[in-house]
Every structure is written in C-alpha cells, then in structure tokens.
Amino acid sequence: MAKIKVEDNMVWVVLAAIRMYSANFLKFCAYMAFPVLGQVLGLALIFGLASLYTYYLPELAMKYDVLKDMSTIVLSIIVIIIPGLLIFMKAFWDYLVAYGALNSITEGFLSSGRIYDFPAHNETVTRRSIQYIGLWLLYSIFWLITFIPFFWVVGAFFFIYFILIFQVFSFEPNETPAGCFKRSFEIIRGNSVRTLLILIAIGTVTMLFIQGVSVIFDFAKLTNLLSGFFESTLVNYVPIDNINDVMLRINSSFDLITPTKVANAFVYQIVTFIVAGLTLPLRSICWALWYKALTENKPSSGKRKSKQLDPEIIDRATRKYRD
C-alpha cells in the first residue's frame, strides 16, 4: 500500500485518527488490555486483600499470638499486597511505554497501511528507557505545579504548547527530555488555537466513548451490581458522616453524600479509567498525525532530524505481508 500523505488540516487529522483507530479497534484493545486492566486488577488485589486481612485480623489474632505484634501485622500487609503491587507496576509501565510506542505504530501505518508487531514498536521506547523516564519525571513535575491553584491558568496555557512532547521524543531521538518540551513549544507556536480545537474535538470523542459504555453498563445492570459490591466493601472505609458534617457547616443546603452515591462514583471512575485507557491509541494517533502535519514540510535544523521507522520493523511487516 502506498504511503499515506499527511495533510496540514486539523479536520483531516481528527477524522484520520478516528478512521485508523476504528479500523484497528480490536488490535488496539488487545494491545492496551493489560496496561489498562492490569492496573485495575493490581489495585483490586492490593485493596481487596488488605481489606480482607484487616477484616479478619481480630479473629486471626485470637488464634495466633504472633499477629498481636504491630511489626508482624505491618509485615503481613506488605507481603499480602506485593502480588497486586507487582501487577500494577508492570501494567503501569506498559501504559507509559504505549504513549511513545503508539507514535511509532502510527508511523508504521502511514508507511505501510498496516498495524503490526507491537513488541517491536515498544522497543523504540524501552531501548531509551532512561531518557523516557526522565521525560515523564519532568512531565510529572509540570503537572504537580499546575495543581497549585495559582498556576492553573498558566498550566493550561503551557499544556497546549507541551502536548507534543512524546511525539518529539519518538520522532526526534536526538532531543533531550528537556529539549522535547522546548521543541514541542516551537512546533505549536502559531498553531495553538488549532491545537486547542483538536484537543476539544478528540476529548469530546473520548467522552462520547465513556458515556456510551456507561449507558451499556446501566442497561446491562452492571452498574447496580458493582455499586452494590462497593457499597458493602470499600465504602465502609470512607468517612461519609464526617464529610457530611463538615460540608453542612460550610453550606447548610449541601446535598448529603450517601453510600450509594459514593459506590456509584467508584463505578463511574472505573469505567472512565478503562475507556480512557483503551482509547489512548486514538489520542496518540491524533497527536502523532498533528506532529507530522506541522513538521513534514517545515524542516528543522540539522540536529533535529525526524526519526525514520526502524528498518527491522519494516522488514517484519513486509515478511508478514508476504506470508
């Protein structure tokens, strides 16, 4: 298949991303399954096993004197949560890797018209793990700063300009983690309004996915089922009465929080996280295409050569296509 030409048109970019994601929906879901569901499973094991242990601890302590010692209790909890913690950490790392690998996957699709060999694309990130971790650390610091109310407006402004840092990391491998932020700023400068419109469009599509799945959950009675489970387990650890007392002092007309409301919120957050995670390829594809659109006909300095798809990946795709 001939190489797909990227157009410098924000409508084309959004529609092309939707088409590419939709045409390979099952492949992308399979690719993101463990990074997303593994995090949910890991957290479920951590809190579920810890809660069970805490619930049965008084009974166990009556049978085993060793469990009356605080250091033994703490050590037991650590041992209990290790399996869930390991699963969560592996899934979380794979999710972070996907941020970068999806850019290489998009490049491969533009070159061959096919989605193939996810492990090979992952290697484009994992073989530069130190730089990639450095990029995420800087990005995390940026988000920590924006959480301060005083910096909300400034943070929102720079978020638009830093939105292509992972694309820069993938396509311009000579850039340092800090350089990725600077380069993204340079690319977006003069295109911030169009970038914002793309962000709104692709964010709206993601929200439609989330709402659609939520409706399916409600229709299939899964929301009530999960809500009932959370209401009888995790919600017991939420100080609902204390929260209501504080809020009533602030606002006498405050709508009281109930265990059912809290449980429903848990369900909605889980659905939101899963759907947002499974649609990460859609957003990554969109930003990879936008990077291409803004840089393809605008050559940068000699130090900033766009990354070419790994010849090994192309060879695998060609070999698989022939087979």
Side-chain angles (χ1 to χ4, degrees):
M1 183 179 291
K3 183 174 181 178
I4 299 174
K5 180 176 175 57
V6 176
E7 299 181 18
D8 185 4
N9 181 301
M10 61 182 185
V11 175
W12 181 91
V13 166
V14 172
L15 293 179
I18 293 173
R19 286 195 298 268
M20 179 178 168
Y21 177 74
S22 301
N24 300 277
F25 178 75
L26 294 180
K27 290 182 179 180
F28 283 127
C29 283
Y31 175 59
M32 296 301 302
F34 178 73
V36 175
L37 299 180
Q39 292 185 66
V40 176
L41 175 61
L43 291 176
L45 287 175
I46 290 172
F47 291 104
L49 294 177
S51 298
L52 284 174
Y53 177 74
T54 303
Y55 180 80
Y56 287 107
L57 181 58
E59 182 180 338
L60 293 172
M62 293 178 63
K63 295 181 179 179
Y64 307 100
D65 291 338
V66 69
L67 291 178
K68 295 179 181 179
D69 182 67
M70 181 56 66
S71 60
T72 303
I73 294 174
V74 173
L75 180 60
S76 300
I77 292 176
I78 293 174
V79 172
I80 287 172
I81 68 173
I82 283 178
L85 185 62
L86 291 176
I87 293 174
F88 173 80
M89 292 176 63
K90 178 61 169 66
F92 182 66
W93 171 245
D94 287 354
Y95 189 83
L96 296 184
V97 168
Y99 258 90
L102 284 163
N103 297 313
S104 179
I105 292 169
T106 302
E107 173 77 2
F109 183 82
L110 294 175
S111 300
S112 65
R114 301 175 63 247
I115 301 294
Y116 54 86
D117 207 343
F118 289 107
H121 291 291
N122 288 343
E123 290 175 10
T124 64
V125 174
T126 55
R127 66 190 178 197
R128 299 168 60 203
S129 296
I130 295 178
Q131 297 94 317
Y132 194 59
I133 292 173
L135 179 63
W136 269 105
L137 286 175
L138 290 177
Y139 195 47
S140 298
I141 293 172
F142 166 73
W143 274 109
L144 287 175
I145 294 174
T146 59
F147 283 152
I148 303 173
F150 182 77
F151 293 106
W152 282 355
V153 175
V154 176
F157 172 81
F158 279 103
F159 173 72
I160 298 298
Y161 284 90
F162 293 157
I163 208 162
L164 296 181
I165 58 173
F166 296 103
Q167 285 66 42
V168 173
F169 177 86
S170 296
F171 298 126
E172 301 182 21
N174 292 327
E175 287 289 2
T176 63
C180 290
F181 285 83
K182 180 181 178 182
R183 177 63 176 144
S184 176
F185 189 95
E186 293 174 350
I187 296 171
I188 297 297
R189 187 170 53 196
N191 298 285
S192 58
V193 174
R194 291 199 295 167
T195 302
L196 177 60
L197 292 175
I198 290 177
L199 178 63
I200 293 172
I202 209 66
T204 300
V205 173
T206 301
M207 287 304 301
L208 288 175
F209 270 105
I210 293 172
Q211 292 300 325
V213 174
S214 296
V215 170
I216 294 174
F217 265 59
D218 291 341
F219 180 78
K221 307 298 183 183
L222 292 174
T223 301
N224 292 336
L225 179 64
L226 292 174
S227 178
F229 170 76
F230 288 133
E231 190 171 346
S232 62
T233 54
L234 293 180
V235 175
N236 292 328
Y237 297 93
V238 179
I240 295 177
D241 292 336
N242 293 337
I243 295 174
N244 284 329
D245 289 341
V246 172
M247 295 307 298
L248 284 173
R249 292 173 187 172
I250 298 174
N251 182 3
S252 59
S253 60
F254 173 72
D255 188 14
L256 294 178
I257 299 173
T258 65
T260 300
K261 289 181 180 179
V262 175
N264 286 337
F266 269 123
V267 175
Y268 183 75
Q269 289 302 316
I270 291 173
V271 170
T272 299
F273 175 78
I274 292 175
V275 177
L278 294 178
T279 55
L280 172 65
L282 170 64
R283 298 186 295 279
S284 293
I285 292 166
C286 183
W287 296 122
L289 293 176
W290 188 229
Y291 168 90
K292 291 287 185 180
L294 295 179
T295 61
E296 197 145 282
N297 298 317
K298 301 172 187 176
S300 53
S301 63
K303 292 183 179 180
R304 291 170 176 156
K305 296 181 180 179
S306 293
K307 170 184 175 291
Q308 298 297 319
L309 193 64
D310 194 321
E312 180 184 351
I313 299 177
I314 296 177
D315 180 64
R316 293 186 191 182
T318 305
R319 187 165 59 250
K320 290 182 178 181
Y321 183 77
R322 288 197 303 265
D323 294 343

